């Protein structure tokens, strides 16, 4: 079996391949002895420490790179890293500190030693990707393969990277290896896409939350006219898109301009942008960009002397000390921004003080650079001209304890705190994985991972479910998108009497229930860079004064408008319950109108209703007192009593139409009216049917018909007919219930309170059912009008139903054409008129006989066999 050569070519990130394709060639050779040899290594700034499990890290220890000139015949070379980033170096040291702290912890990963492999990204994407590939493939020159391809991977997880763009590219690569990445500073909301970045996590909130937090601040101070500057990268462009979308949805402001800050510090472009800021009426400028952009931008701001602007900083530069210089302070003091959650790391200062050039086991990431930067010296051999220029040589004996630099200022740990949480997230996930009990694991066959067989993809499961609390008291966990619990500190740049800047905490923004943002700010602590000492106003157009309204300016944002006089009687479109005074400068409540108990019309109708109720009660008393007399007992006295009760209810239900409409009165008035009248008309209908049945029964062979009109059948018929109406009312109230309504269509200066019927069909069916029963009763009574005198009650029913139908036929056009309260008055009048008509027509003659002609109240007289002289 001969030897073979295998070549792996990475093509996942086309943008980087365009600039530096040779970095993504990794050659692996294999022979019969099953050994692999790394053909070429990247020459990077790195730091390593072995361990049972190794965690990788990518940090910005240098913030810029110089690329060497290339020829077609030259060997590819790495760019030269320049510009030592002291904060980035501290971030890397914080990871080392966290790992050493974990190794000393007997309760976390006992019997397991964590190691690390750290790389410097040099502020260059190609260097960051080179470091990521080195972490994924390992650094061993040659190693043996196990027959089952098992073994601990070079790194189990990665902390980093600093930039969103770098994280997007690195995550795209390492997701192919299923290596989990926990970033401490990449905020692009695009990284929350689990389809594109399934192995990406972060301990910093995404820009989606940062944007919503910014909008909450704008809303709090009433700033609606804003300028937005973003960096020309994934971070800035995604923020711009998200900010525009969320601001439009909130309706709380508009963008005066949106400008993209160039990476190449083009002087003419910066000059144009700053001139736009200076001439714009927007007093608030939000900047989502990196420190390098702000340095270039603010230099131009100082040149053009742009004052009177409220700067709002994103988390990338809120605490940047590089901007807190004497010549930029007049412009940036009072800056308001949001910052990563601050934390405290006990023991970190002591750890940092132990850093010394003699520590030589750190690979090419040696501490000489840090020492030279801190003491402004050079180790021998010094660069040419250094000594001649007055530079000092480093001896390694300098006293670092006496140095007062940003590196040792641990009062404002923010990215470092996120690094600490990222390391502990991986450690807790690994701890949970190694404590899995066989047979209960989450993998195939309920298996568990072991220290000898674990793979990076297995750690992702446990990382997704990690949940712990830091010594500072913050809970750390990840949601379904790998995002941390969102919380930001609100910061303000306080100008001290000595001219220095102090970045102070003045509040916080955090996620509350239902994924909304909750903002708390202590305005008393805030410093404003304005003569008034108060927050500035930043609006495109001032609010329209009373008597005028907004008119949109064509082609301009909705925050920009012109104020024009309101139409007659109006001051503001939002004050619908108000009307203007004659001078159009003050709002007064509109007059309200409804059928009231206190006005003459309402008093008259109420009096008539109570009078009808009283008369019904009197008649009911008369009938009850004379209940054993023939006049009362004739034609089913029970129906007569029920008819009087229903008429009493008809009179009383009219009171529901008087007074200010409320929900319960609107729902009850038509239901009570409909059921009361159906009960009344049903009794009349059954009485009419009984009259006809008795007449037919008096003829030869008609005796059997009366068995269908007994007392039980009469009660059942009335109940059945009434239940149908009750069903109609129930369906109407459930489907489209009547409700109070403010009608402003009749008169502009008046509000008419009325009950909207809800469903016109329901109201029509209710009236129609009453009408059908009334017409049927009228027709039957009309047919029985010529019966012998001893059955003359049919004439009374005919007359009563004729008056009833006449009233309600006249009601419909009158009701439709009556405005406002008069519609209710018409309906009450129809109820009272029809009720009085039935009461007088049906019971007037009977009461006359009972009270004034008792001699007629005998069985013989009623049967027509006795002649009585008037």
């Amino acid at each position: 079996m001969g030897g073979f050569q295998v070549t792996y070519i990475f093509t996942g990130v086309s943008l980087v391949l365009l600039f530096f394709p040779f970095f993504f060639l990794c050659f692996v050779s294999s022979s019969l002895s099953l050994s692999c040899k790394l053909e070429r290594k990247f020459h990077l700034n790195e730091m390593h420490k072995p361990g049972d499990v190794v965690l990788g890290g990518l940090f910005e220890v240098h913030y810029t790179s110089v690329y060497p000139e290339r020829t077609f015949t030259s060997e590819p070379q790495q760019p030269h890293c320049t510009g030592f980033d002291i904060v980035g170096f501290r971030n890397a040291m914080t990871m080392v500190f966290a790992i050493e702290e974990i190794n000393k912890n007997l309760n976390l990963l006992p019997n397991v030693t964590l190691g690390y492999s750290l790389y410097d990204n040099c502020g260059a994407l190609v260097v960051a990707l080179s470091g990521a590939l080195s972490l994924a493939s390992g650094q061993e020159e040659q190693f043996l393969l196990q027959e089952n391809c098992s073994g601990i991977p070079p790194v189990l997880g990665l902390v980093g990277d600093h930039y969103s763009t770098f994280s997007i590219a690195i995550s795209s690569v390492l997701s192919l290896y299923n290596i989990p990445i926990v970033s401490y500073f990449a905020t692009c909301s695009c990284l929350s896409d689990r389809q594109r970045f399934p192995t990406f996590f972060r301990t910093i909130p995404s820009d989606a939350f940062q944007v919503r937090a910014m909008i909450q601040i704008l809303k709090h101070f009433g700033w609606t006219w804003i300028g937005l500057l973003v960096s020309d990268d994934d971070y800035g462009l995604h923020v711009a898109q998200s900010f525009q979308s969320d601001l439009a949805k909130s309706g709380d402001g508009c963008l005066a301009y949106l400008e993209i800050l160039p990476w190449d510090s083009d002087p003419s472009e910066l000059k144009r942008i700053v001139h736009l800021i200076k001439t714009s009426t927007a007093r608030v400028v939000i900047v989502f960009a990196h420190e390098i952009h702000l340095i270039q931008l603010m230099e131009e701001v100082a040149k053009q002397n742009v004052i009177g602007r409220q700067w709002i900083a994103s988390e990338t530069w809120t605490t940047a000390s590089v901007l807190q210089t004497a010549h930029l302070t007049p412009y940036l003091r009072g800056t308001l921004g949001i910052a990563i959650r601050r934390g405290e790391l006990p023991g970190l200062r002591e750890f940092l003080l132990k850093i010394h050039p003699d520590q030589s086991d750190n690979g090419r990431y040696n501490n000489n650079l840090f020492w030279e930067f801190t003491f402004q010296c050079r180790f021998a051999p010094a660069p040419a001209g250094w000594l001649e220029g007055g530079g000092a040589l480093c001896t390694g004996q300098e006293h670092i304890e006496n140095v007062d630099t940003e590196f040792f200022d641990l009062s404002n740990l923010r990215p470092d705190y996120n690094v600490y949480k990222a390391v502990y997230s991986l450690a807790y996930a690994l701890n949970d994985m190694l404590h899995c009990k066989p047979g209960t694991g989450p993998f195939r066959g309920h298996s568990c991972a072991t220290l000898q067989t674990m793979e990076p993809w297995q750690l992702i499961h446990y990382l997704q479910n990690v949940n712990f609390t830091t010594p500072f008291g913050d809970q750390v966990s990840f949601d379904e998108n790998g995002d941390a619990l969102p919380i930001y500190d609100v910061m303000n740049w306080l100008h001290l009497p000595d001219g220095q800047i102090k970045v102070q905490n003045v509040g916080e923004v955090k996620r509350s229930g239902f994924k909304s943002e909750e903002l708390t700010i202590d305005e008393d602590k805030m410093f404003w860079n304005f003569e008034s000492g108060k927050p500035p106003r930043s609006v495109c157009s001032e609010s329209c004064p009373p008597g005028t309204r907004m008119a949109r300016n064509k082609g301009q944002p909705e925050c920009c408008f012109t104020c024009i006089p309101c139409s007659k009687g109006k001051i503001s479109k939002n004050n619908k319950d108000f009307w203007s005074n004659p001078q159009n400068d003050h709002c007064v409540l509109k007059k309200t109108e409804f059928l009231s108990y206190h006005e003459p019309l309402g008093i008259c109708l109420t009096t008539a209703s109570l009078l009808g109720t009283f008369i019904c009660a009197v008649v009911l008393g008369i009938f009850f007192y004379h209940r054993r007399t023939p006049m009362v007992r004739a034609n089913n006295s029970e129906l007569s009593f029920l008819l009087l009760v229903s008429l009493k209810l008809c009179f009383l239900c009219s009171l529901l139409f008087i007074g200010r409409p409320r929900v319960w009165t609107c729902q009850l008035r038509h239901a009570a009216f409909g059921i009361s009248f159906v009960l009344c008309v049903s009794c009349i209908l059954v009485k009419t049917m009984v009259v006809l049945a008795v007449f037919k029964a008096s003829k030869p062979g008609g005796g059997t018909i009366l068995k269908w009109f007994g007392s039980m059948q009469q009660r059942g018929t009335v109940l059945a007919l009434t239940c149908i109406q009750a069903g109609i009312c129930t369906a109407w109230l459930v489907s489209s219930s009547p409700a109070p309504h403010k009608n402003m269509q009749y008169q502009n200066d008046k509000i008419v309170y009325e009950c909207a019927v809800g469903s016109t069909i329901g109201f029509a069916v209710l009236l129609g059912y009453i009408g059908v029963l009334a017409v049927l009763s009228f027709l039957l009574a009309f047919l029985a009008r010529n019966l012998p005198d001893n059955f003359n009650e049919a004439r009374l029913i005919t007359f009563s139903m004729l008056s009833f139908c006449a009233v309600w036929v006249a009601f419909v056009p009158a009701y439709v054409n009556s405005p406002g309260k008069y519609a209710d008055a018409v309906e009450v009048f129809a109820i009272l008129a029809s009720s009085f008509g039935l009461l007088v027509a049906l019971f007037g003659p009977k009461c006359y006989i009972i009270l004034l002609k008792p001699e007629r109240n005998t069985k013989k007289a009623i049967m027509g066999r006795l002649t009585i002289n008037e």
Side-chain angles (χ1 to χ4, degrees):
M1 183 176 181
F4 59 90
Q5 180 90 6
V6 181
T7 302
Y8 293 87
I9 303 178
F10 168 70
T11 57
V13 187
S14 56
L15 177 63
V16 179
L17 289 177
L18 179 64
F19 293 103
F20 232 112
F22 58 84
F23 268 110
F24 304 116
L25 298 177
C26 177
F27 300 96
V28 181
S29 63
S30 179
S31 65
L32 289 174
S33 61
L34 296 178
S35 64
C36 290
K37 181 181 180 182
L38 196 64
E39 291 289 346
R40 190 170 67 85
K41 293 175 61 176
F42 298 110
H43 299 286
L44 306 170
N45 295 329
E46 57 198 68
M47 178 186 295
H48 304 282
K49 183 177 181 179
D52 299 328
V53 177
V54 177
L55 301 181
L58 286 170
F59 299 94
E60 187 185 66
V61 179
H62 292 83
Y63 53 78
T64 186
S65 303
V66 177
Y67 292 86
E69 294 185 5
R70 289 189 57 198
T71 64
F72 290 103
T73 59
S74 64
E75 184 71 18
Q77 298 181 29
Q78 287 288 113
H80 176 62
C81 301
T82 61
F84 187 72
D85 189 337
I86 191 69
V87 176
F89 182 71
R90 190 178 67 189
N91 292 340
M93 291 300 100
T94 301
M95 180 171 178
V96 176
F97 164 75
I99 289 177
E100 293 195 2
E101 186 178 76
I102 292 169
N103 288 336
K104 296 175 183 177
N105 191 335
L106 300 179
N107 298 317
L108 182 60
L109 292 175
N111 303 318
V112 176
T113 301
L114 288 182
Y116 53 81
S117 288
L118 310 183
Y119 286 89
D120 179 8
N121 67 23
C122 294
L125 175 57
V126 66
V127 179
L129 270 171
S130 301
L133 287 174
S134 296
L135 290 169
S137 61
Q139 292 295 302
E140 296 294 331
E141 295 285 348
Q142 186 168 356
F143 55 91
L144 297 177
L145 291 177
Q146 303 292 332
E147 292 184 4
N148 57 0
C149 292
S150 64
I152 299 177
V155 293
L156 197 64
L158 173 66
V159 175
D161 189 280
H162 180 91
Y163 294 106
S164 292
T165 298
F166 294 11
S167 294
I168 291 171
I170 292 168
S171 184
S172 299
V173 176
L174 297 193
S175 63
L176 302 175
Y177 301 92
N178 289 315
I179 296 177
I181 304 171
V182 185
S183 177
Y184 58 92
F185 210 69
T187 59
C188 181
S189 56
C190 60
L191 288 163
S192 297
D193 186 347
R194 267 292 183 252
Q195 297 296 322
R196 293 178 59 195
F197 311 105
T199 66
F200 183 82
F201 299 82
R202 52 183 158 194
T203 54
I204 184 173
S206 76
D207 285 333
F209 179 77
Q210 183 179 189
V211 164
R212 293 194 294 270
M214 288 285 196
I215 292 175
Q216 287 297 316
I217 293 174
L218 297 176
K219 184 177 181 180
H220 178 83
F221 291 107
W223 296 327
T224 59
W225 190 232
I226 309 109
L228 179 63
L229 306 179
V230 299
S231 56
D232 189 12
D233 56 11
D234 293 288
Y235 167 70
L237 298 179
H238 277 91
V239 162
Q241 182 180 3
S242 179
F243 193 91
Q244 286 180 293
S245 174
D246 288 0
L247 188 63
K249 289 178 182 178
S250 69
D252 293 325
C254 307
L255 286 182
Y257 52 85
L258 168 60
E259 294 294 333
I260 299 175
L261 299 174
W263 272 101
D264 56 3
S265 65
D266 181 3
S268 60
E269 181 66 7
L270 285 174
K271 186 176 181 179
R272 182 192 66 81
I273 293 174
V274 172
H275 180 72
L276 175 62
I277 296 172
K278 186 176 183 178
T279 56
S280 173
T281 57
R283 293 292 177 264
V284 176
V285 184
I286 302 177
V287 185
F288 287 91
H290 307 285
E291 292 180 15
I292 186 64
H293 293 102
L294 265 297
I295 294 172
Q296 300 162 357
L297 175 69
M298 296 313 299
E299 291 291 346
E300 184 62 33
V301 167
K303 287 181 182 179
Q304 297 191 30
N305 193 30
V306 181
I307 58 174
R309 295 296 180 270
Q310 177 61 49
W311 297 90
I312 300 184
S314 66
E315 93 294 337
T316 54
W317 65 278
T318 294
T319 59
S321 60
V322 70
L323 296 169
Q324 299 168 18
T325 58
H327 75 291
L328 296 182
T329 295
Y331 309 98
L332 284 175
R333 58 191 177 190
T335 292
L336 191 64
I338 56 177
I340 306 166
R341 181 72 166 170
R342 188 188 70 85
E344 293 181 2
L345 301 178
L348 178 60
R349 179 176 179 81
E350 291 73 16
F351 173 81
L352 296 178
L353 287 172
K354 295 178 182 177
I355 297 176
H356 196 272
D358 291 341
Q359 295 173 333
S360 58
D361 57 344
N362 295 330
R364 300 182 69 246
Y365 221 44
N366 68 58
N367 297 323
N368 287 2
L369 289 174
F370 163 71
W371 205 264
E372 291 178 347
F373 179 85
T374 302
F375 295 102
Q376 293 300 301
C377 60
R378 293 291 185 269
F379 282 98
W386 174 258
L387 295 176
E388 291 79 358
L393 285 176
C394 297
T395 64
Q397 303 303 316
E398 291 83 0
H399 295 285
I400 198 170
E401 298 86 356
N402 301 328
V403 175
D404 183 17
T405 66
E406 183 182 5
F407 185 78
F408 294 105
D409 180 10
L410 306 184
S411 61
N412 201 31
L413 293 178
R414 297 182 187 277
D416 315 76
Y417 187 44
N418 279 352
V419 171
Y420 183 84
K421 291 189 289 186
V423 174
Y424 266 85
S425 297
L426 291 167
Y428 272 101
L430 178 60
N431 186 70
D432 293 341
M433 184 168 70
L434 296 180
H435 279 80
C436 174
K437 295 181 180 179
T440 62
F443 309 119
R444 181 179 298 177
H446 300 289
S447 62
C448 296
T450 66
L451 189 62
Q452 292 73 30
T453 62
M454 62 183 175
E455 298 182 34
W457 64 268
Q458 294 173 315
L459 187 64
I460 295 174
H461 168 80
Y462 291 94
L463 191 58
Q464 184 68 64
N465 299 309
V466 78
N467 193 331
F468 65 94
T469 303
T470 68
F472 191 59
D474 289 331
Q475 183 183 1
V476 179
S477 63
F478 301 104
D479 64 14
E480 64 276 7
N481 298 319
D483 292 328
L485 295 175
I487 183 170
Y488 276 113
D489 291 336
V490 181
M491 312 302 292
N492 178 236
W493 288 25
L494 174 64
H495 184 237
L496 300 176
D498 61 359
Q500 298 296 311
I501 291 291
K502 177 186 177 183
V503 182
Q504 61 173 351
N505 191 327
V506 295
E508 68 176 17
V509 190
K510 62 182 179 180
R511 176 170 293 171
S512 59
F514 305 102
K515 292 191 174 182
S516 61
E517 294 71 44
E518 181 180 322
L519 171 67
T520 56
I521 288 185
D522 184 358
E523 293 191 41
D524 294 334
K525 295 172 58 178
M526 298 185 67
F527 174 83
W528 301 102
N529 192 23
F530 299 90
E531 291 183 2
S532 64
K534 297 179 180 179
R537 283 190 58 77
S538 186
V539 295
C540 182
S541 301
E542 293 291 343
S543 299
C544 291
T548 62
R549 65 178 179 87
M550 295 186 300
R552 302 295 182 199
N553 294 335
K554 187 176 181 181
Q556 293 187 8
E558 62 179 13
C559 299
C560 302
F561 49 83
T562 302
C563 296
I564 62 175
C566 293
S567 55
K568 182 180 179 182
K570 291 186 178 181
I571 291 180
S572 171
K573 67 176 183 179
N574 296 322
N575 293 334
K576 294 183 179 180
D577 292 346
F578 292 83
W579 188 252
S580 70
N581 61 350
Q583 292 75 30
N584 266 28
D585 60 0
H586 182 66
C587 284
V588 294
L589 278 171
K590 290 183 177 180
K591 296 179 181 179
T592 58
E593 181 181 273
F594 55 86
L595 187 57
S596 170
Y597 289 105
H598 305 292
E599 61 179 301
L601 181 60
I603 293 173
C604 292
L605 294 175
T606 302
T607 303
S609 174
L610 295 177
L611 178 63
T613 305
F614 176 73
I615 294 174
C616 282
V618 171
V619 173
L620 188 62
I622 293 171
F623 268 55
F624 182 78
Y625 184 78
H626 297 278
R627 64 187 179 279
R628 303 190 190 283
T629 62
M631 181 61 69
V632 176
R633 295 181 62 186
N635 197 7
N636 195 339
S637 61
E638 185 177 339
L639 282 182
S640 296
F641 284 111
L642 188 59
L643 180 56
L644 283 169
V645 172
S646 65
L647 282 173
K648 190 174 182 178
L649 293 175
C650 291
F651 281 114
L652 289 175
C653 77
S654 64
L655 296 176
L656 295 171
F657 292 83
I658 305 173
R660 185 170 184 145
R662 304 185 187 282
V663 175
W664 69 273
T665 58
C666 288
Q667 293 176 343
L668 189 59
R669 61 167 57 173
H670 288 110
F673 154 72
I675 294 174
S676 300
F677 267 89
V678 165
L679 179 61
C680 178
V681 176
S682 298
C683 292
I684 296 172
L685 177 61
V686 171
K687 272 180 169 287
T688 308
M689 294 170 64
V690 170
V691 169
L692 290 173
V694 171
F695 174 71
K696 289 188 177 181
S698 65
K699 294 183 178 180
T704 58
I705 196 172
L706 285 179
K707 70 178 182 179
W708 299 104
F709 291 92
S711 297
M712 289 296 295
Q713 285 81 2
Q714 293 177 39
R715 294 192 202 104
T717 303
V718 172
L719 180 62
L721 293 174
T722 305
C723 286
I724 293 175
Q725 182 72 315
I728 293 172
C729 292
T730 302
W732 179 19
L733 293 178
V734 171
S735 62
S736 182
S737 176
H741 171 64
K742 294 180 181 180
N743 195 325
M744 303 179 190
Q745 303 301 317
Y746 298 128
Q747 298 181 29
N748 288 333
D749 61 344
K750 188 181 293 184
I751 300 174
V752 177
Y753 286 93
E754 59 187 15
C755 283
V757 296
S759 171
T760 306
I761 295 176
F763 186 44
V765 171
L766 181 143
L767 291 177
Y769 183 63
I770 297 175
V772 169
L773 295 181
V775 170
L776 185 59
S777 298
F778 172 75
L779 291 177
L780 291 177
F782 183 78
L783 293 174
R785 72 189 186 284
N786 293 323
L787 295 180
D789 287 346
N790 50 347
F791 299 105
N792 60 7
E793 190 175 16
R795 294 180 180 178
L796 302 179
I797 295 174
T798 302
F799 179 74
S800 66
M801 297 314 299
L802 182 62
S803 63
F804 182 88
C805 292
V807 168
W808 286 102
V809 167
F811 159 78
V812 175
Y815 180 84
V816 171
N817 292 293
S818 297
K821 65 180 182 180
Y822 298 103
D824 290 335
V826 167
E827 191 165 358
V828 172
F829 179 81
I831 292 172
L832 295 176
S834 57
S835 299
F836 274 114
L838 293 175
L839 180 63
V840 172
L842 292 175
F843 294 97
K846 293 181 180 181
C847 288
Y848 173 77
I849 293 174
I850 292 173
L851 297 176
L852 301 178
K853 298 291 182 179
E855 63 275 16
R856 290 189 178 185
N857 193 7
T858 63
K859 186 175 181 180
K860 290 183 179 181
I862 291 174
M863 296 302 294
R865 293 171 185 169
L866 181 65
T867 303
I868 300 176
N869 294 324
E870 298 288 337

